[in-house]
Amino acid sequence: MRPPRLPRPRSLAGQLFAVQIVLVAAVVAGCAAFAYLSDRAEAEKAARREVTAAATAVAASPAVRSAVRGPDPAGELQPYAERVRHDTGVDFVTIMSPRGVRWTHPDPARIGETFLGHTGPALEGQVFSETYTGTLGPSVRAVAPVREPDGRVTALVSAGITVDTISAQIRRQVMALLGVALAVLAVGGAGTYLLNARLRRHTHGMNAAELARMHDYHQAALHAVREGLLMLDGQRRVALVNDGGRELLGLHGTDVIGRPVAALGLPEPLTRALLAPERRVDEVHLTTERTLVVNTSPVSGGERRGTVVTLRDHTELTALSGELDSVRGFAEALRSQAHEAANRLHTVVSLIELGRTDEAVGFATAELELAQALTDEVVAAVAEPVLAALLLGKAAHAGERGVELLLTADTHLDDGLLPPALPTRDLVTVLGNLIDNAVDAAGPRPDGDRSAGAARVAVTVRPDGDDLLLRVGDSGPGLAPEDVDEVFRRGWSTKGAAGARESEEAGPPGGAPHGRGLGLALVRQAALRNGGTVAVGRSPLGGAEFTVRLPLRGDIS
């Protein structure tokens, strides 16, 4: 048997709608009650003013004073009092003797009876008002004295409005007020419904507990994802960035929410990519310490347009790709050496078959001495095995391309001198890319021009105080002065604008960071990551010379 299904809690929009309706109803009811009480008090005050004015006016009338002195006051005053009652809208106008005997009354049968109410203050010459229950029921009345020129009180005048009349007037006002209140309640309810319908669309009908749980999941996911996530609003300001994004962009300890992207201090190419209105897919960008693959996607829905940016760290992949390139270079060098060794062996065998044994021995000995001399020179100067292997492989590769790789006389590096904090991988990146660029620059020109002389590359590796000095110069054409500041920008290349542009805009599939114009950018990144510097100058060989200094002591992280 299936357990009974519990009712789903009301959505947040529904809860807010109910609360708002109750609040609107309470406000309208409170305003209506206040208005009713205020109107009732104001109606009583108005009635007092009206009856006081009527009684005072009648008491001051000369016709009333004359009739009071006549032989038949009731006969003369009753028509006059009725006219005044109809003209002023009061319920009764009673003119009486000082002893309270009525001379006028709305009900003629009451004429001659004693007035019901207080007359003491009026007999003393004062006009006063009160609420009293008389023959017509409870009423608000005023009593005024009729005085002769000598000050004697010869009669009293009372004008009044019954409480029922006041209540009927208040009821009419209350009905109008209730109509207005109901209209306000209807308009407020309709507006509240529309606002909550919009809120329901935005919250997808979820209640407060579900929204709180989603927020918790959202925060946990942002902190758990290692990839960088950056969200920009329509004004290209940072709306959200997770922990991974802060780490990859170097924004630790900085309050970046609400700041424009242009004010984050990021490299210019990366800033342009983040601000671009179009979509960017797997673009490779370099920061000071990292190689990032950037994807951007514009947000077209909602009230304001924005951009969602994802960042992947390819620094390690770049380093591994660099090592793979070095291994491929070594393999290519070994292939070249094997090919050359096979040619030399065929030469030796052919000389022996021709019976020219002495020439065969001399040829083999010379080739062996030449190869051994290069190996001995490199190993003797650079005892660090990884760098020695790199130099031997690059020398063989350069020789195959017709470029002579030379170690300067001051090159010397003992094994164990490099600190553990200085990764060998970064040294391979720096020295390998510099040598490759130098061999490209010093190699034969596309037009076959060799007028510049022998193609050479000079390499220096040695300690210099507290730094490790790596210097690579070539005999190529060098750098134009206007290119010195741009040489480390990703995508820069001396091999033609088209090739450089292709490297900068496309890149290999999968976000692989290698391509033309990336080597020198990686060199600077590796140097800065290890606290070093890179300088560009003129080589004694006639071409460009790059000098990298990396600290050998202290914190280089």
Side-chain angles (χ1 to χ4, degrees):
M1 179 178 180
R2 295 180 60 184
R5 186 174 181 179
L6 297 178
R8 184 174 181 267
R10 185 186 296 270
S11 67
L12 177 62
Q15 295 175 7
L16 290 178
F17 178 71
V19 170
Q20 289 172 345
I21 286 295
V22 171
L23 289 178
V24 171
V27 169
V28 171
C31 291
F34 176 78
Y36 171 77
L37 296 177
S38 299
D39 288 348
R40 184 177 184 84
E42 186 61 32
E44 290 184 358
K45 290 181 181 179
R48 289 181 185 276
R49 290 193 298 267
E50 187 175 350
V51 297
T52 299
T56 302
V58 171
S61 173
V64 173
R65 286 199 298 267
S66 175
V68 168
R69 292 192 296 267
D72 187 13
E76 295 183 19
L77 293 176
Q78 176 69 10
Y80 174 79
E82 287 300 298
R83 286 198 306 272
V84 172
R85 182 172 69 86
H86 286 97
D87 292 342
T88 59
V90 297
D91 289 327
F92 65 87
V93 175
T94 300
I95 304 174
M96 71 197 83
S97 68
R99 290 179 298 177
V101 177
R102 301 188 185 100
W103 290 329
T104 66
H105 194 276
D107 183 4
R110 299 287 185 180
I111 297 175
E113 295 180 358
T114 303
F115 176 75
L116 298 179
H118 299 96
T119 59
L123 293 174
E124 295 176 359
Q126 299 178 7
V127 179
F128 73 98
S129 62
E130 66 176 348
T131 301
Y132 195 86
T133 302
T135 58
L136 300 180
S139 62
V140 176
R141 60 182 63 183
V143 182
V146 178
R147 291 188 287 187
E148 293 296 329
D150 58 1
R152 290 182 301 109
V153 177
T154 59
L156 301 176
V157 178
S158 176
I161 298 176
T162 62
V163 173
D164 290 341
T165 300
I166 297 175
S167 298
Q169 180 181 1
I170 293 175
R171 279 196 297 272
R172 290 193 297 270
Q173 295 176 350
V174 168
M175 293 303 295
L177 178 64
L178 287 178
V180 174
L182 291 176
V184 171
L185 181 61
V187 172
T192 302
Y193 176 79
L194 294 177
L195 290 176
N196 283 274
R198 182 178 182 183
L199 178 62
R200 188 180 296 107
R201 290 195 302 270
H202 287 312
T203 59
H204 301 286
M206 292 185 290
N207 57 45
E210 291 171 334
L211 288 174
R213 184 165 57 250
M214 176 172 290
H215 177 268
D216 294 338
Y217 290 155
H218 172 267
Q219 292 297 320
L222 286 180
H223 290 291
V225 174
R226 294 187 59 189
E227 287 73 15
L229 178 63
L230 182 69
M231 295 186 181
L232 309 178
D233 62 16
Q235 282 71 43
R236 298 300 188 265
R237 295 175 302 192
V238 178
L240 182 146
V241 58
N242 69 342
D243 296 343
R246 290 180 180 271
E247 180 179 357
L248 296 179
L249 296 177
L251 302 177
H252 297 291
T254 304
D255 186 11
V256 299
I257 302 300
R259 292 180 58 187
V261 173
L264 298 181
L266 302 175
E268 182 180 353
L270 178 56
T271 301
R272 288 200 306 268
L274 297 181
L275 295 177
E278 69 276 2
R279 184 181 183 188
R280 300 293 182 96
V281 179
D282 287 344
E283 284 194 2
V284 179
H285 291 272
L286 301 180
T287 65
T288 302
E289 298 183 355
R290 297 181 183 274
T291 302
L292 303 179
V293 176
V294 179
N295 288 271
T296 67
S297 179
V299 179
S300 57
E303 297 180 355
R304 293 186 300 177
R305 297 176 61 89
T307 305
V308 176
V309 182
T310 59
L311 307 167
R312 298 198 307 273
D313 187 6
H314 273 218
T315 306
E316 294 295 325
L317 180 59
T318 301
L320 292 174
S321 299
E323 292 184 359
L324 179 59
D325 288 344
S326 298
V327 172
R328 289 174 177 172
F330 296 156
E332 184 65 21
L334 291 175
R335 185 199 62 77
S336 301
Q337 290 177 348
H339 180 71
E340 291 297 324
N343 290 338
R344 297 185 186 106
L345 183 59
H346 290 160
T347 301
V348 172
V349 171
S350 298
L351 290 173
I352 293 175
E353 289 178 347
L354 294 174
R356 306 174 70 170
T357 306
D358 294 338
E359 294 181 13
V361 173
F363 177 81
T365 302
E367 291 296 327
L368 179 61
E369 290 176 351
L370 180 61
Q372 188 63 41
L374 177 60
T375 302
D376 292 343
E377 179 185 4
V378 173
V379 173
V382 181
E384 169 61 40
V386 175
L387 292 184
L390 175 66
L391 291 171
L392 286 174
K394 295 299 183 184
H397 181 65
E400 187 180 31
R401 298 187 56 183
V403 179
E404 182 182 5
L405 182 66
L406 304 174
L407 293 182
T408 59
D410 57 346
T411 295
H412 181 74
L413 182 64
D414 293 331
D415 190 13
L417 181 64
L418 300 180
L422 183 58
T424 306
R425 175 185 300 172
D426 287 345
L427 292 179
V428 170
T429 297
V430 171
L431 196 56
N433 280 291
L434 290 180
I435 292 176
D436 287 341
N437 284 353
V439 170
D440 288 340
R445 305 290 180 268
D447 56 3
D449 181 18
R450 294 179 176 270
S451 59
R456 291 178 297 171
V457 172
V459 179
T460 301
V461 180
R462 63 178 177 85
D464 187 15
D466 291 336
D467 297 333
L468 173 65
L469 185 144
L470 304 174
R471 178 178 293 142
V472 178
D474 60 72
S475 61
L479 292 174
E482 62 271 14
D483 291 336
V484 172
D485 294 334
E486 296 290 326
V487 68
F488 294 106
R489 180 176 58 84
R490 180 188 176 273
W492 186 91
S493 175
T494 60
K495 297 184 178 180
R501 190 181 308 112
E502 178 183 358
S503 169
E504 182 175 10
E505 295 180 355
H514 285 283
R516 182 174 298 171
L518 188 60
L520 292 178
L522 293 176
V523 168
R524 184 180 67 170
Q525 185 188 71
L528 295 178
R529 184 167 56 242
N530 291 280
T533 60
V534 183
V536 184
R538 190 73 177 177
S539 171
L541 298 178
E545 183 178 74
F546 291 83
T547 302
V548 178
R549 292 180 176 273
L550 301 174
L552 289 175
R553 296 182 178 86
D555 184 10
I556 63 173
S557 60

